[in-house]
Amino acid sequence: MNPIVPQPSPVAPLAAAEDRRSDAIARARQQVLQERSSLVCGLTAPWVDRSWQRCLQLGMEPTQPVQFDVISPSQRALTQEANQRLRQCAQGIMQGLGKAIANTGYFAILTNAQGIVLDTSGPVDSHDQRASLITRIGTDLSEARVGTTAIGTALAELQPVWLHRGEHFFLGNSHYTCAGVPLFDPDGQCMGMLDLTGIDVPERTELKHLVVQSGAQIENALVLATSHRLMLRLNWPGHGLGSTADALLVLDADGRVNGANSVARQIVPGLTAQVHASELFGLPFQVLFDAARRSDNTLDVPLRNGLRLRALATLTNSGRAANVMALPSSGAVAIHQMEASMIRQAMEQAGGNVALAAQALGISRATLYRKLGHKD
């Protein structure tokens, strides 16, 4: 009989990696927060060190108790009103995100550009003060108030971040693990951030991808909610169109850019608010509108730098968003396929919320229900 050789548990490598990670964080804290050295030799991400340095410059000490302050009721009302568009565009996506993370021990937090909590989603344990304190609407979670967190650091660094336990500046926050991404409005200005936070949970670095994708959906919803006559989806030739990987650009009837998402600002040189399409692309802007009126509304678009993009052009009659009801009558099969694709995209960007998807498409909720095969 062959002896039974015990197989290593798959948990063991994960536990070892977690131990190495904790050890690296502990050594970084020793160097930066106790010895006050700025050299951490790659023990933590660069943005963690920069955030720690900012906290030290503000006179914070890691052992201080953390104060999760809530702004006054009047300030809270003003903040909610000032960020109404962000809250509305994020609502459906936040609901879908809450379902995606329901069994992970994480929950989602939406803040404005100052780190004030606007909304939450997911399983928040109201009996755990560590969860309830940071999920109150109006709580100030800025770096200046609660030190290094994914929220404050994403807003300060304007990039996606991942922070695990001891990477938080205050020791009192070391039970949190969180991923954060800044959110940019259609003009390219930071207007808030999206955060996923867990308490005493294992690291799930894949959630950084989830929060980035969800942030992109919110940005796209904001762009589609901007007044426009033409919507352009752009991507590199050979890449499919119709996902959050697309650059999204909306133009008014005169060909000026009314809004764009972050991807568009990365791949389209010279993209600024109200810039004319003729300054971005090596073709007359009317060609884009003509393409949107065809049954095959895709085309190659040359950039001014010599590169080329593939574009999907869609007109809207409402002046606000692409209207699937305004498509030409010829090419019924292609139109049906295109309409179905646009509905899928709108539902994805709205996180499954039919009302928000209908608003983005420029049609009534009853019409969208009918196209989805449901009864109103």
Side-chain angles (χ1 to χ4, degrees), residues 67 173 234 259 284 295 322 345:
Q67 298 295 325
N173 286 339
L234 301 161
S295 58
Q345 294 165 20

Side-chain angles (χ1 to χ4, degrees), residues 133-155:
L133 283 176
I134 67 173
T135 53
R136 296 170 299 173
I137 305 302
T139 303
D140 186 346
L141 298 179
S142 64
E143 191 175 77
R145 297 301 302 170
V146 299
T148 303
T149 66
I151 293 172
T153 306
L155 290 172

Side-chain angles (χ1 to χ4, degrees), residues 1-7:
M1 177 181 291
N2 294 327
I4 297 176
V5 179
Q7 297 298 313

Side-chain angles (χ1 to χ4, degrees), residues 259-281:
N261 66 3
S262 293
V263 181
R265 286 186 287 273
Q266 293 174 36
I267 69 174
V268 181
L271 184 56
T272 58
Q274 288 298 300
V275 66
H276 199 274
S278 60
E279 300 177 55
L280 303 175
F281 307 119

Side-chain angles (χ1 to χ4, degrees), residues 12 25 35 38 75 78 97 131 150 159 169 174 193 202 220 235 277 335 338-339:
I25 294 172
E35 300 172 4
S38 60
Q75 289 176 312
L78 290 172
L97 185 57
Q159 64 175 306
F169 181 84
S174 60
M193 71 84 58
N220 287 353
N235 214 321
I335 291 173
M338 188 189 340
E339 180 182 285

